[in-house]
Amino acid sequence: ATTLGASAAERGRFFGTAVAAGKLGDGSYTTILNREFNQVTPENEMKIDATEPQRGQFSYGNADRIVQHARSRGMQVRGHTLAWHSQQPGWMQSLSGSTLRQAMLNHVTQVATHFRGQVTWWDVVNEAFADGSGGGRRDSNLQRTGNDWIEAAFRAADAADPDAQLCYNDYNTDNWTAAKTQGVYRMVQDFKSRGVPIDCVGFQAHFTGGSNYPSNFRTTLSSFAALGVDVHITELDIRNAPADAYRNVTNDCLAVPRCTGITVWGIRDSDSWRSGESPLLFNSGGTKKAAYDAVLAAL
Ligand code: XIL
């Protein structure tokens, strides 16, 4: 096939991109989006500050616009994200303890209910583990409500949308031997052994090249998959977009049957949160880069 989405589909996978609602009126943006991708992740529009800007007052306009754009064109939607230490609205940042726990669970329930039936996967919890050598949880207001906050969030999401596939998503979990990777692995293993509803693990894959893209990434993907979860590359971008690194990441996913799709974190370099690093598959003028050709050829 001649596009990323169609080629991935021939391999039984999706190929998606982060989408910003504010760009859906940009014709050059939507031309590439509609031609190349069969999955979208709202870049910011489903985050807590966007969907519940005031406590108990929910705001879905921009997220609904992305969902409508995607679903009317047969693209699957990844919801991102229900519980996270970052991009919390001010009211949530100022809560703690059981009040915060209840507010978080209510948020999960309300948002997952709103999008029920429209979202294939949810990043239920994002970035809950710490960097460094400890392998433990990141300190955050949510973590301070109790170590079981993650499973409580997954159970609330499952109750609200039983058909959605529920994912844990993080970064710097690519190197199989890293303490953070092992910490997330043990959590997923524990959840599966106790019947906590988890279906998938997302690897953000914000790479800088070099050792940041580990040669054992494929081992990481296959090891998590062996726990009985699907694995996804959820936010792929690579500093300077080296074609060989993009090819290797694509091949790593294709080598693992339960690696069911890849999402890049934006379309053109000018759309990227790392735009100074030109990390994406299209240049700012919308022209395909060498990395695009490498990915398409690998798919
Ligand atoms: C980023 C967005 O791309 C930016 O527009 C925003 O200002 C900050 O968040 N990990 C994640 C994503 O899970 O939600 C982040 O997205 C990038 C890092």
Side-chain angles (χ1 to χ4, degrees):
T2 59
T3 67
L4 300 169
S7 297
E10 289 177 357
R11 302 293 215 108
R13 291 170 168 87
F14 63 82
F15 203 102
T17 179
V19 165
K23 292 176 181 164
L24 291 175
D26 174 341
S28 90
Y29 181 85
T30 54
T31 295
I32 302 171
L33 170 62
N34 298 348
R35 186 186 69 219
E36 296 287 342
F37 298 100
N38 57 10
Q39 183 272 331
V40 306
T41 305
E43 186 172 1
N44 290 296
E45 292 79 353
M46 289 187 181
K47 292 173 180 175
I48 312 172
D49 58 356
T51 51
E52 195 177 356
Q54 306 297 329
R55 190 175 178 186
Q57 293 180 18
F58 292 83
S59 168
Y60 296 117
N62 285 330
D64 284 343
R65 272 185 276 282
I66 294 175
V67 170
Q68 160 66 18
H69 184 100
R71 289 179 54 80
S72 66
R73 290 166 178 80
M75 304 168 177
Q76 290 184 284
V77 178
R78 182 186 202 87
H80 175 79
T81 176
L82 295 171
W84 190 23
H85 69 277
S86 185
Q87 291 182 265
Q88 290 183 358
W91 66 264
M92 184 176 274
Q93 294 178 40
S94 67
L95 296 183
S96 63
S98 60
T99 314
L100 173 61
R101 170 75 74 115
Q102 274 315 115
M104 179 274 285
L105 293 174
N106 181 59
H107 180 84
V108 171
T109 300
Q110 296 296 324
V111 177
T113 299
H114 176 83
F115 292 106
R116 181 176 179 160
Q118 306 189 72
V119 163
T120 306
W121 314 268
W122 266 114
D123 287 331
V124 178
V125 171
N126 198 35
E127 301 182 347
F129 278 72
D131 295 308
S133 58
R137 299 289 180 82
R138 169 195 298 275
D139 180 48
S140 72
N141 60 346
L142 294 170
Q143 181 62 27
R144 289 191 290 271
T145 72
N147 202 52
D148 61 342
W149 73 276
I150 298 180
E151 64 187 88
F154 273 83
R155 292 189 199 281
D158 185 51
D161 187 352
D163 293 334
Q165 296 181 49
L166 306 181
C167 308
Y168 177 78
N169 191 55
D170 214 329
Y171 68 93
N172 279 353
T173 48
D174 320 290
N175 186 336
W176 175 238
T177 64
K180 184 173 179 179
T181 307
Q182 292 295 313
V184 175
Y185 179 84
R186 285 191 296 272
M187 178 187 75
V188 175
Q189 190 174 44
D190 171 55
F191 281 12
K192 294 302 279 185
S193 74
R194 292 190 295 111
V196 178
I198 185 169
D199 304 295
C200 35
V201 175
F203 298 82
Q204 292 184 10
H206 294 296
F207 292 137
T208 51
S211 61
N212 175 250
Y213 169 55
S215 57
N216 62 20
F217 186 39
R218 190 179 297 194
T219 300
T220 303
L221 296 174
S222 61
S223 298
F224 275 84
L227 293 175
V229 289
D230 285 343
V231 293
H232 305 127
I233 295 167
T234 53
E235 306 183 11
L236 178 62
D237 52 18
I238 313 177
R239 180 181 296 164
N240 299 323
D244 59 343
Y246 266 102
R247 178 186 308 112
N248 290 341
V249 172
T250 304
N251 283 328
D252 285 345
C253 182
L254 291 172
V256 177
R258 292 198 77 157
C259 183
T260 60
I262 299 173
T263 307
V264 289
W265 204 241
I267 298 177
R268 303 162 301 192
D269 286 332
S270 51
D271 301 317
S272 174
W273 72 314
R274 303 166 68 187
S275 57
E277 301 177 27
S278 303
L280 294 175
L281 300 179
F282 294 85
N283 72 20
S284 297
T287 300
K288 296 168 181 172
K289 296 163 62 177
Y292 172 97
D293 297 328
V295 170
L296 184 66
L299 283 170

